[in-house]
Amino acid sequence: MRSLPIDVEARKFVRARLLKYKMYQQEINTLRQAILFPHQETDENIGGGRSSLNNFETEAKAIKLVSNKQIQVRSEFIAVVNSVLSECSEEANKIIEMRYFGKQKESWAKISVEVKGYTEDGCRKIEKKVVDRIAEQLGW
């Protein structure tokens, strides 16, 4: 059971990250590709040579993937958001998606029209509960 309420700074942090949710997914993919397939100069040597990817190189890339802080932090945030949203109502998911995951941040007025049966204030309260659960899961 949570003893302290989520503070304003924690909510700001989560809301700012929610706006970057889709960008984080793309960044993770880009970082993984950069680690797995770094730019290499082509070898013009036609003679016998070694394999382009030996076990040591494969293990080194795996370690880089697992230990990359940017991938870790972004992946943890995405996992927490997905976990919290999977436990939320369809309405809560729609509110978060419209507010944070679209091409632009939708207004509360537009969200309340799309989410039938909820006022602007009701939509704000639902969003706050979801943001607080995400913050709590992240350890705030």
Side-chain angles (χ1 to χ4, degrees):
M1 185 62 71
R2 183 151 183 88
S3 58
L4 297 173
I6 301 296
D7 67 7
V8 174
E9 290 303 313
R11 283 191 197 107
K12 283 182 184 177
F13 175 86
V14 171
R15 288 174 174 139
R17 297 317 173 273
L18 281 169
L19 287 169
K20 296 179 180 182
Y21 177 86
K22 296 230 179 206
M23 184 179 72
Y24 282 171
Q25 291 175 317
Q26 293 169 345
E27 286 177 357
I28 289 169
N29 291 334
T30 301
L31 288 166
R32 283 184 177 146
Q33 291 299 311
I35 291 170
L36 290 173
F37 307 106
H39 173 72
Q40 294 179 345
E41 296 295 323
T42 52
D43 186 3
E44 301 292 329
N45 183 6
I46 306 244
R50 61 180 177 88
S51 166
S52 64
L53 189 64
N54 62 33
N55 284 341
F56 178 75
E57 290 171 332
T58 303
E59 288 176 18
K61 286 180 181 183
I63 291 168
K64 282 181 183 179
L65 276 175
V66 172
S67 63
N68 185 287
K69 280 288 189 201
Q70 288 178 320
I71 292 174
Q72 287 177 353
V73 170
R74 285 162 175 75
S75 294
E76 178 187 5
F77 180 76
I78 288 171
V80 166
V81 170
N82 290 343
S83 173
V84 168
L85 290 178
S86 73
E87 298 169 357
C88 290
S89 68
E90 187 177 320
E91 292 82 9
N93 273 281
K94 189 167 188 170
I95 289 167
I96 296 299
E97 185 170 325
M98 289 184 72
R99 186 72 176 172
Y100 298 106
F101 301 161
K103 290 184 181 190
Q104 65 182 23
K105 187 176 177 181
E106 295 295 347
S107 70
W108 289 115
K110 183 169 183 178
I111 292 170
S112 67
V113 168
E114 292 291 321
V115 182
K116 305 283 188 243
Y118 289 91
T119 62
E120 288 181 43
D121 191 46
C123 290
R124 280 190 197 96
K125 286 178 182 176
I126 291 171
E127 181 267 356
K128 181 181 173 193
K129 285 181 184 178
V130 173
V131 167
D132 284 359
R133 288 197 352 221
I134 292 169
E136 186 177 340
Q137 293 282 321
L138 290 172
W140 283 85

